[in-house]
Amino acid sequence: MEITIQCFGLFRSFGEQIKLSIAEGDRISDMRKALLDKLQQMDASFNKLDLLGSARFASETEILQESMPLKEGMAIAIIPPVSGG
């Protein structure tokens, strides 16, 4: 099945959206691994595993937990870690 990831922050260098094919029954944690593979295919020098590990994923209404199952056609935003002062 296919989902769309809307990119923000540093992830925007990969485009506004990334289409990702995942298996039926995959969860956010599985998608995170698949996304790393896709980002490395798009840019072999991508080595920001810590950035991807700290990023959170959200739907239009909530931050998604790692155990949440994904559904066909979902639109998900990747939110990089933010700091400020």
Side-chain angles (χ1 to χ4, degrees):
M1 71 184 175
E2 189 172 90
I3 58 170
T4 301
I5 300 174
Q6 185 73 33
C7 299
F8 295 96
L10 177 68
F11 296 105
R12 186 58 72 110
S13 65
F14 292 97
E16 290 185 23
Q17 296 180 341
I18 297 172
K19 301 276 188 197
L20 192 63
S21 294
I22 58 170
E24 187 76 31
D26 273 1
R27 301 180 181 281
I28 293 289
S29 57
D30 302 310
M31 182 199 67
R32 188 181 296 272
K33 294 172 194 166
L35 180 58
L36 176 61
D37 291 342
K38 176 82 170 194
L39 295 177
Q40 288 176 328
Q41 288 174 5
M42 294 171 77
D43 178 359
S45 67
F46 181 77
N47 63 355
K48 306 272 189 222
L49 184 58
D50 55 335
L51 178 69
L52 185 57
S54 298
R56 296 295 171 250
F57 297 95
S59 69
E60 291 182 16
T61 59
E62 65 183 320
I63 300 293
L64 305 175
Q65 301 299 317
E66 293 292 307
S67 61
M68 182 183 175
L70 299 167
K71 298 176 185 165
E72 176 73 35
M74 282 183 85
I76 298 173
I78 184 169
I79 304 168
V82 178
S83 65

